[in-house]
Amino acid sequence: MNELTVVAHIHTDFKTKFGIPRQSGLVEGLIGRIVFTPPYRNVEALRGLDGFSHIWLLWDFSQAHREDGRWSPTVRPPRLGGNRRMGVWATRSPFRPNHIGLSSVRISRIIPDSPQGPVIEVEGADLMDGTPIYDIKPYLPFTDCHPDARGGFAEAQNQSLKPLNVEWQPHSADEMDTATREIVARLLAADPRPHYQHDAQRIYAMEYGEWTIRFCVLADTLTVVACERN
């Protein structure tokens, strides 16, 4: 059996796992750049891709590898508060026998002749900066879209969750540009906290791009207390 080969890496504004959307496409405006590794920097491999609006990314949960190689048949999904177990095949947990992730993203533009070779710019990626990409496949709406599909416990839990109200303390984001502030507000409204943490006194810190955003949450309101340049 051949080993998987890393064909590219994606570059995003998420330097750490905390704050990354829990699924692709949940937060609009997030930009990622797919840069191919040298053996795959061939523009011919992208021929015809400009006719598609979305692609599937198959990637490596590179920060979730276990040195001992062990795996568990059940995991604790964060959406269930981290205290209920579900079968690993019923979740998208990174802790699985093969650490393969799957994301659907929108193609923003294709740059055929960048200094790094051909680059695919995408929107809606839920990947940390530098994540290895194993494969790229076109999204086919006539087969990949199933309007009558059921979402199991994930759908039921998602329907019960409402976006947080995001408030900004005076002068907390004076130096942040408007576009970045809008994206940060969307990320925060989705509640980046682990679902088992509800300490109203705690100040959380989320990194996004060149910023560290500090916030606290009381009931359904998230308050940004400071935005600091890294």
Side-chain angles (χ1 to χ4, degrees):
M1 180 178 176
N2 294 332
E3 293 185 359
L4 290 174
T5 300
V6 175
V7 301
H9 293 86
I10 190 168
H11 297 284
T12 70
D13 284 317
F14 295 106
K15 307 303 180 184
T16 64
K17 292 183 289 184
F18 184 71
I20 297 178
R22 294 179 174 87
Q23 299 294 336
S24 57
L26 289 181
V27 178
E28 296 181 359
L30 297 178
I31 299 298
R33 298 178 77 253
I34 298 172
V35 178
F36 292 90
T37 57
Y40 301 98
R41 292 181 180 176
N42 189 325
V43 71
E44 287 297 301
L46 277 67
R47 183 187 296 183
L49 190 61
D50 56 355
F52 297 89
S53 63
H54 293 71
I55 51 178
W56 290 107
L57 303 179
L58 282 80
W59 47 278
D60 180 18
F61 280 111
S62 53
Q63 301 299 307
H65 288 201
R66 293 186 57 164
E67 293 184 1
D68 58 16
R70 292 188 300 170
W71 71 284
S72 172
T74 61
V75 296
R76 294 186 175 94
R79 279 292 187 184
L80 296 180
N83 54 17
R84 288 179 57 192
R85 284 192 171 273
M86 291 290 175
V88 66
W89 309 135
T91 76
R92 295 191 178 186
S93 166
F95 303 104
R96 48 202 324 113
N98 293 303
H99 306 88
I100 297 175
L102 177 69
S103 297
S104 174
V105 296
R106 176 186 292 274
I107 298 174
S108 175
R109 60 174 177 157
I110 297 174
I111 308 170
D113 54 357
S114 84
Q116 297 170 302
V119 168
I120 307 174
E121 190 174 280
V122 298
E123 298 179 20
D126 56 339
L127 287 77
M128 193 165 70
D129 184 53
T131 295
I133 306 293
Y134 287 136
D135 205 354
I136 298 169
K137 299 179 185 292
Y139 176 95
L140 304 177
F142 58 91
T143 59
D144 293 347
C145 180
H146 302 280
D148 59 343
R150 293 182 292 120
F153 70 86
E155 182 176 33
Q157 184 68 12
N158 188 60
Q159 290 176 347
S160 68
L161 297 175
K162 295 181 179 180
L164 295 175
N165 300 313
V166 178
E167 297 181 352
W168 305 74
Q169 284 191 351
H171 311 298
S172 60
D174 285 353
E175 297 183 17
M176 183 179 287
D177 64 90
T178 302
T180 300
R181 179 167 168 162
E182 289 178 355
I183 292 175
V184 168
R186 295 184 199 130
L187 289 169
L188 296 175
D191 195 353
R193 299 174 301 164
H195 281 273
Y196 52 83
Q197 291 184 358
H198 298 281
D199 183 357
Q201 304 302 315
R202 180 168 181 171
I203 301 296
Y204 298 86
M206 181 186 80
E207 292 187 29
Y208 180 73
E210 62 178 336
W211 297 95
T212 295
I213 300 97
R214 303 189 187 279
F215 64 92
C216 58
V217 182
L218 178 61
D220 61 354
T221 298
L222 182 151
T223 302
V224 178
V225 298
C227 296
E228 306 161 354
R229 290 186 186 275
N230 297 332

